[in-house]
């Protein structure tokens, strides 16, 4: 590997800074264990979280290392055009907040999870199916968090041995699992606050150094020279275009309205007005969390494009991928010491996202899948232990999945959007129909949830395995199969599955209506 | 910049992206300051609330409710 490509400013001093920070952060998580006495303490911190601490934990959760990595990768790949993604997501959060679409009926019903809404509106079978799909999609969505983290650590530290990186990430995950399992939401909230402070310092330091190393006008000229107008205007970009923007509109709206970590906040709000305000105010967070890292990705692109040896390493068939670009760039422009602080900030982002998501998904497993199986309910202690087992099981899955799953050239952000869509393509239809259409039936809800899972076809490894076989089955030639693959983009597949879910909901609700036994709660 | 990009449409896009970047950085800076200060006060009140709840329920800190 040429010296230009192999060097990093990360030294022993940076390792010491990282070690001190991790010990400090994790110790806080362990120390609060003594305050946990029941399930309410464990899952919702005794419902004692006030607004600023709530905001810190929301930002700590939403700006994960994986967020930084996928947004930076999109900036590197697509230039300024990638900025349209955070703009669309923020606009959709604003729209949902302003209109109250979906979230107001959910808050009025007083549910805490989407499967609970399914259960009260459509019955226990729909609840069990919905919870299963939600957990599967949610855990798959987390599947590449470790891989993104490992890529960051490898590029910043310059560690060449894959085994070393895997061990570092395994230890990080084990620490998060340990303090989340023992201290629950209390540990999560306190560590999130510390991690929010570190993360914010890291964001400003990185942005300052990145812009100083490149300069705004250099970014513009590099993007224009290498990517053309498509690097600036998303409407004419090869990576995006109008269908992709529509896909992002759907991902933004459905993600805000149906994704469990977002829904639980709206449902825990004091009233419907507060729930709506959370999304109106939160839209700023949706903008910032992707826009600033995307800017770092563009800075990395301009920096690498200006150095032929580096550009060769990042060219097709080279030793580096687009996911490596941002951390590779940071390892060269940030001085020793500062790099240790930024590394700590990014590991803070890694931990703060993992802990909240682990708790969110394991809570759904216990509340919506395990507890309903016990007619006499589960004791507080049993619920806490089931949640702990769920956290551990998800952690083990993440470790295995993150090690073998091939991205196959797919952008990390598209992987995240698609795994989310496996769940919310159906969930959005079920929630809107369940809340606003009196004739929506449980058969329609089940059919819509199942139709939405078809979005799994948009994942690159699934698409490359299924589409050629499908083409051959239909008697298509090689050129026709290639044309089919080019038409069936990630955006087209996901949007088609959503339309299919709408059709399934309408047709099955009309053909198989629910018996009017008064057991379910209709739209208010 | 006009010479580099060429065309009023792209200049418009670039002006928009630049303004958005500046807005995001300034807004996030203000948010961090407010949340960092307010969050500290919230942590203190959270622990006093938890202590109060545990005293009222008679639960011993460090022990999970057995039932």
């Amino acid at each position: 590997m040429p010296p230009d490509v192999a060097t990093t400013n990360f030294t022993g001093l940076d390792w010491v800074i990282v070690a001190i920070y991790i010990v400090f952060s994790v110790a806080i998580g362990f120390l609060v264990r003594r305050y946990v006495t029941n399930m309410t303490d464990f899952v919702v911190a005794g419902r004692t979280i006030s607004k600023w601490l709530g905001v810190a934990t929301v930002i700590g959760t939403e700006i994960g290392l994986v967020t930084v990595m996928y947004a930076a990768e999109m900036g590197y790949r697509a230039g300024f055009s990638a900025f349209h993604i955070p703009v669309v997501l923020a606009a959709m959060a604003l729209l949902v907040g302003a209109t109250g679409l979906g979230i107001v009926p959910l808050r009025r019903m007083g549910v805490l999870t989407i499967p609970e809404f399914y259960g009260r509106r459509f019955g226990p079978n729909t609840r069990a199916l919905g919870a299963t799909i939600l957990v599967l999609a949610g855990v798959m969505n987390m599947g590449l968090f470790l891989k993104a983290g490992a890529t960051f650590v490898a590029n910043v530290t310059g560690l060449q041995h894959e085994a070393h990186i895997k061990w570092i990430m395994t230890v990080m995950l084990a620490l998060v699992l340990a303090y989340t399992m023992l201290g629950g939401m209390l540990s999560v909230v306190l560590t999130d606050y510390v991690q929010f402070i570190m993360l914010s310092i890291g964001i400003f330091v990185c942005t300052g150094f990145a812009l100083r190393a490149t300069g705004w006008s250099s970014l513009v000229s590099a993007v224009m020279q290498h990517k053309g107008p498509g690097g600036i205007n998303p409407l004419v970009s090869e990576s995006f275009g109008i269908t992709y923007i529509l896909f992002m509109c759907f991902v933004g709206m459905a993600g805000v309205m149906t994704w469990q970590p977002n829904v639980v906040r709206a449902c825990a709000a004091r009233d419907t007005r507060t729930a709506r305000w959370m999304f109106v105010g939160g839209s700023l967070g949706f903008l910032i969390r992707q826009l600033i890292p995307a800017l770092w990705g563009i800075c990395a692109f301009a920096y690498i494009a200006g150095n032929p040896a580096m550009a060769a390493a990042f060219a097709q068939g080279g030793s580096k991928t687009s996911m490596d670009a941002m951390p590779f760039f940071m390892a060269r422009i940030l001085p020793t010491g500062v790099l240790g602080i930024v590394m700590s900030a990014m590991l803070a982002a890694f931990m703060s996202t993992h802990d909240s998501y682990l708790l969110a998904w394991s809570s759904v497993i216990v509340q919506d899948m395990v507890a309903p199986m016990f007619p006499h309910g589960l004791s507080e202690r049993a619920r806490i232990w089931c949640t702990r087992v769920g956290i551990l099981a998800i952690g083990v899955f993440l470790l295995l999945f993150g090690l073998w799953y091939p991205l196959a050239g797919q952008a990390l952000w598209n992987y995240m959007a698609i795994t989310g869509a496996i769940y919310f393509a159906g969930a959005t239809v079920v929630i809107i129909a369940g809340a606003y259409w009196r004739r929506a039936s449980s058969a329609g809800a089940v059919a819509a949830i199942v139709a939405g899972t078809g979005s799994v076809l948009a994942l690159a490894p699934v698409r490359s395995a299924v589409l050629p076989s499908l083409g051959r089955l239909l008697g298509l030639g090689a050129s026709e199969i290639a044309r089919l693959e080019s038409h069936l983009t990630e955006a087209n597949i996901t949007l088609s599955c959503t339309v299919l879910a709408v059709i399934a909901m309408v047709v099955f609700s009309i053909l198989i209506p629910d018996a009017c036994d008064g057991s379910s709660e209709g739209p208010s | 910049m006009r010479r580099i990009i060429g065309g009023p449409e792209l200049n418009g896009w670039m002006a928009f992206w630049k303004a958005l970047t500046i807005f995001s950085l300034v807004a996030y800076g203000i948010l961090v300051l407010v949340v960092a200060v307010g969050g500290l006060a919230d942590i203190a009140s959270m622990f006093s609330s938890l202590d109060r709840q545990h005293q009222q329920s008679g639960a011993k800190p460090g022990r999970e409710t057995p039932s």
Side-chain angles (χ1 to χ4, degrees):
Chain A
M1 199 179 282
D4 277 351
V5 179
T7 53
T8 168
N9 295 336
F10 199 88
T11 65
L13 173 68
D14 299 296
W15 278 118
V16 172
I17 293 170
V18 171
I20 291 171
Y21 170 72
I22 289 174
V23 169
F24 172 69
S25 177
V26 173
I28 293 173
F30 280 108
L31 287 173
V32 296
R33 192 201 164 195
R34 69 189 193 90
Y35 283 91
V36 178
T37 60
N38 55 39
M39 189 67 176
T40 313
D41 290 343
F42 190 77
V43 174
V44 287
R47 295 201 173 92
T48 54
I49 303 168
S50 303
K51 72 177 171 186
W52 297 121
L53 196 54
V55 172
T57 189
V58 166
I59 296 174
T61 304
E62 291 303 321
I63 307 182
L65 178 51
V66 71
T67 323
V68 171
M69 289 293 283
Y70 67 61
E73 188 194 26
M74 282 314 254
Y76 178 85
R77 282 185 174 213
F80 290 99
S81 287
F83 280 5
H84 87 273
I85 298 171
V87 171
V88 169
L89 297 187
M92 289 299 113
L94 201 62
L95 181 75
V96 170
T99 59
L101 183 70
I103 57 169
V104 166
L106 285 175
R107 176 62 191 82
R108 278 201 189 121
M109 256 189 173
V111 295
L112 278 179
T113 63
I114 295 287
E116 196 182 338
F117 168 79
Y118 292 165
R120 286 169 62 172
R121 177 67 177 86
F122 297 111
N125 292 340
T126 314
R127 179 179 187 174
L129 176 71
T132 308
I133 303 295
L134 170 60
V135 170
L136 285 176
V139 174
M140 266 183 79
N141 188 263
M142 281 183 83
L144 294 186
F145 285 17
L146 266 181
K147 187 175 246 181
T151 305
F152 183 86
V153 172
N155 280 282
V156 170
T157 59
L159 284 174
Q160 299 294 324
H161 291 289
E162 209 176 320
H164 292 164
I165 297 152
K166 283 177 181 169
W167 273 114
I168 289 173
M169 301 318 293
T170 305
V171 170
M172 294 293 303
L173 182 65
L175 287 171
V176 177
L177 285 172
Y179 78 68
T180 310
M181 283 167 69
L182 292 174
M185 185 56 103
L186 265 179
S187 296
V188 169
V189 166
L190 283 182
T191 50
D192 276 2
Y193 176 77
V194 177
Q195 288 155 2
F196 163 75
I197 303 286
M198 277 305 285
L199 175 65
S200 302
I201 293 169
I203 282 177
F204 286 108
V205 168
C206 285
T207 307
F209 274 96
L211 285 174
R212 203 181 73 160
T214 51
W216 185 266
S217 48
S218 301
L219 303 185
V220 179
S221 54
V223 167
M224 195 60 203
Q225 187 187 339
H226 295 277
K227 300 185 190 296
I232 290 167
N233 179 354
L235 294 168
V236 298
S237 166
E238 277 180 26
S239 311
F240 305 127
I242 193 69
T243 318
Y244 189 91
I245 295 172
L246 284 175
F247 173 44
M248 285 302 106
C249 288
F250 170 68
V251 167
M253 190 182 75
V256 166
M257 211 167 65
T258 67
W259 201 233
Q260 181 60 22
N262 294 328
V263 170
V264 73
R265 284 171 208 140
C267 294
R270 200 172 43 209
D271 48 37
T272 54
R273 198 176 160 189
T274 312
R276 288 169 63 175
W277 168 246
M278 282 167 81
F279 288 98
V280 171
S283 60
L284 182 65
F286 283 96
L287 177 71
I288 290 163
R289 72 175 188 162
Q290 286 199 37
L291 192 131
I292 296 174
L295 177 68
W296 303 346
I298 300 169
C299 292
F301 176 78
Y303 181 82
I304 291 163
N307 183 316
M310 291 181 191
F314 279 89
Q316 202 153 20
S319 59
K320 297 281 182 186
T321 67
S322 52
M323 225 211 290
D324 294 303
M326 183 276 290
F328 174 91
F329 165 65
M330 291 297 174
R332 278 144 194 82
I333 61 150
L334 296 177
T336 301
V338 174
L339 206 48
I341 294 170
V342 168
M343 178 68 137
S344 302
M346 292 305 148
L347 291 180
F350 171 87
M351 293 195 290
S352 61
T353 305
H354 265 87
D355 54 20
S356 298
Y357 273 63
L358 283 168
L359 198 59
W361 301 132
S362 55
S363 302
V364 172
I365 292 173
V366 175
Q367 302 290 79
D368 295 305
M369 293 165 75
V370 178
M373 286 195 279
F374 294 85
H376 301 295
L378 276 176
S379 69
E380 290 282 329
R381 182 178 264 185
R383 277 175 197 255
I384 291 178
W385 275 103
C386 285
T387 309
R388 283 175 176 156
V389 171
I391 290 169
L392 186 65
I394 295 170
V396 171
F397 171 82
L398 294 181
L399 206 54
L400 298 174
F401 188 81
L403 295 182
W404 68 261
Y405 182 85
L407 264 171
Q410 190 159 47
L412 181 59
W413 163 246
N414 288 342
Y415 170 86
M416 304 290 294
I418 293 162
T419 46
I422 291 169
Y423 155 71
F424 53 60
T428 310
V429 176
V430 176
I431 289 169
I432 291 178
Y436 302 107
W437 188 36
R438 203 167 283 276
R439 290 184 65 183
S441 75
S442 52
V446 168
I449 292 170
V450 172
T453 58
S455 299
V456 75
L457 282 172
L459 290 172
V462 180
R463 198 163 48 138
S464 59
V466 171
L467 287 187
S469 312
L470 186 70
R472 279 192 295 274
L473 201 70
L474 296 171
L476 301 177
S479 61
E480 287 163 314
I481 291 173
R483 197 147 16 114
L484 178 73
E485 283 180 320
S486 69
H487 284 303
L488 284 176
T489 60
E490 295 139 337
N492 284 338
I493 291 173
T494 312
L495 290 173
S496 303
C497 287
T498 311
V499 173
L500 205 62
V502 174
I503 295 168
M505 169 57 95
V506 173
V507 170
F508 279 83
S509 292
I510 290 169
L511 291 179
I512 314 172
D514 284 335
C516 295
D517 57 359
S519 62
S520 66
E521 294 177 33
S524 47
Chain B
M1 193 181 278
R2 187 176 297 278
R3 189 183 58 79
I4 297 169
I5 296 178
E9 189 199 345
L10 288 182
N11 280 329
W13 277 105
M14 271 322 301
F16 176 62
W17 296 140
K18 190 173 185 177
L20 198 67
T21 306
I22 294 167
F23 168 76
S24 299
L25 287 168
V26 172
Y28 189 63
I30 295 167
L31 187 75
V32 170
L33 287 176
V34 174
V35 172
V37 175
L40 271 181
D42 285 354
I43 288 172
S45 74
M46 182 176 80
F47 280 112
S48 57
S49 291
L50 280 170
D51 278 334
R52 230 181 3 258
Q53 280 180 18
H54 292 160
Q55 276 167 9
Q56 282 166 4
S57 66
K60 287 181 181 168
R63 283 260 177 102
E64 285 159 17
T65 312
S67 59

